[in-house]
Amino acid sequence: WGRGSAEDARLPEVLAGARSRGISVAAHLEPYAGRSVASTVDDVAYLRSLGIRTFYVYRPLDLPIPDWAAARAALHVGGATLFAQTALVGAAAAAGFDGIYTYDIVVYGGNKFARLCKEAHAVNLLCAPSVGPGYDARRGSGDAKVKPRRNGSTYDRMWRAAIAAKADLVTITSYNEWHEGTQIEPAAPGRRLGRYRYLSYDGAYGLHGLAAEFAYMIRTRYWSDVFHRTPPVQPKT
């Protein structure tokens, strides 16, 4: 969310914790107030100085495509890789991005992955579709749209679609966006707060009680292994 944000302040500790466990970190660049292509160039330079080399730019087409194209060299200094959150593959290519991702698992369901990845690969862009376990933001934002989890089958279907689409990477929405109901983070049953109670993942993949707390993390490991065993896209000759 830009320099000076709460996320920016916590980033050094996140990086240190991740690296101590052998985990690399990418940055998701949000549309903060006053964001421009020029400010994004500065953001990327700053984050590169912290060792980050992969960037996911949310809603990049809110800003002019010619501005992105003009800044391509500056954004890629040091071997940075930038993904655009969009289904407009031609626009992402014209703007100079290296790939696309979708993030929104309601608008961009698994039935769209094959077309998007085919279009991306046709113009030499990476395809990183976003999979998720479900969506329910009624309490968080009042959004009436719901994508039910169906005890894990929603997550499985999206993973299968991403792998079948020959995705280069698979992005996940999300680890802990609790207010949108997309989280895969371990969850125990919550206490009742007024008339609300979080019901945990009980029943997901046939698991119950303590065994269900890590249901989506266990399934993520499974699908990650399947993804890495799947032959990659062959380069065009």
Side-chain angles (χ1 to χ4, degrees), residues 165-188:
K166 302 187 184 304
D168 300 286
L169 299 86
V170 177
T171 49
I172 298 172
T173 307
S174 65
Y175 180 69
N176 60 358
E177 291 271 346
W178 288 82
H179 60 288
E180 293 187 348
T182 61
Q183 78 285 346
I184 62 170
E185 182 179 24

Side-chain angles (χ1 to χ4, degrees), residues 30-56:
E30 299 280 359
Y32 54 81
R35 186 180 74 167
S36 66
V37 173
S39 72
T40 303
V41 171
D42 292 340
D43 292 336
V44 168
Y46 160 66
L47 293 166
R48 280 203 318 267
S49 74
L50 300 179
I52 297 175
R53 293 291 182 272
T54 304
F55 304 90
Y56 293 84

